[in-house]
Amino acid sequence: MRSIFGFGKAEDVPASPRTSEKAADSPKPADEQHAADPGMPPIFDCQPVTDSSILQEIKPLSDDEKKVFDRIKAEIPELIKDLPPVDPEALQFIDPDMPLDIEGWLTDECIARYVRARKGVYEDTKKALRKTIEWRASTRPHAIRPDVVEIESQTGKAYFNGFDKFSRP
């Protein structure tokens, strides 16, 4: 039998203990929901980093990247027209009354990330943004209903585990 990495034996891979199999002396979380349902992942009481000296500074765009940024920003109306309809498979998971807010998602910071990721190449940046906009329009990730993902939290696949040193959850 193969391990989780595709080689070796599965017996060689240490199994991670399930919530119900953890040692009795392990610390108990403070939240009442976990106490009522031991299968529920714990919710940690974590605070975001407030020391700004360790936060990562974002470099400004170079002159060439700024030109690409300005061109893309001017072409937003063209980028968001003729979007595809909602994927029929996605309709079962989303709230149909939730409006599509591409302009709200397409912030200056978002455009700058795409410009940086494509190394300031205009055509590559425009193509990547258009593909993302089309995907967001057809799948509507912002409109996924909470009841659809609730089971993922209950089974421990999704949980909040505090903040990193840059104050990101």
Side-chain angles (χ1 to χ4, degrees), residues 8 35 40 48 61 64 71 76 84 90 107 113 119 130 137 163 165:
M40 198 69 182
L61 295 173
D64 291 337
R71 278 182 73 186
I76 287 177
T107 62
R113 278 184 317 172
K119 309 249 187 274
R130 176 61 188 191
F163 295 91
K165 68 180 183 178

Side-chain angles (χ1 to χ4, degrees), residues 40 145-155:
M40 198 69 182
R145 295 186 324 271
D147 64 297
V148 173
V149 294
E150 180 181 23
I151 189 69
E152 304 303 330
S153 295
Q154 291 176 345
T155 58

Side-chain angles (χ1 to χ4, degrees), residues 64 67-75 78-79 114-115 118-129:
D64 291 337
K67 289 175 187 173
V68 171
F69 174 87
D70 291 338
R71 278 182 73 186
I72 294 289
K73 187 111 169 130
E75 292 186 10
E78 180 186 328
L79 284 170
Y114 276 79
V115 170
R118 301 295 178 255
K119 309 249 187 274
V121 178
Y122 170 75
E123 286 300 324
D124 294 349
T125 303
K126 183 177 175 181
K127 182 178 176 182
L129 264 173

Side-chain angles (χ1 to χ4, degrees), residues 30 39 42 51 54 59 62-63 67 76 90 93-94 103 110 113-114 119 127 143-145 149:
D51 181 6
I54 64 171
K59 295 187 308 185
S62 68
D63 290 339
K67 289 175 187 173
I76 287 177
F93 303 115
I94 66 170
E103 294 90 352
C110 177
R113 278 184 317 172
Y114 276 79
K119 309 249 187 274
K127 182 178 176 182
I144 296 174
R145 295 186 324 271
V149 294

Side-chain angles (χ1 to χ4, degrees), residues 70-112:
D70 291 338
R71 278 182 73 186
I72 294 289
K73 187 111 169 130
E75 292 186 10
I76 287 177
E78 180 186 328
L79 284 170
I80 63 175
K81 71 177 179 183
D82 300 325
L83 294 175
V86 177
D87 183 3
E89 288 184 28
L91 283 174
Q92 61 185 329
F93 303 115
I94 66 170
D95 177 3
D97 298 327
M98 181 79 68
L100 179 62
D101 184 24
I102 293 295
E103 294 90 352
W105 167 79
L106 205 53
T107 62
D108 288 352
E109 293 81 11
C110 177
I111 297 170

Side-chain angles (χ1 to χ4, degrees), residues 1-13:
M1 190 174 333
R2 294 184 164 208
S3 73
I4 58 172
F5 300 109
F7 53 87
K9 295 182 179 177
E11 299 86 52
D12 299 337
V13 179

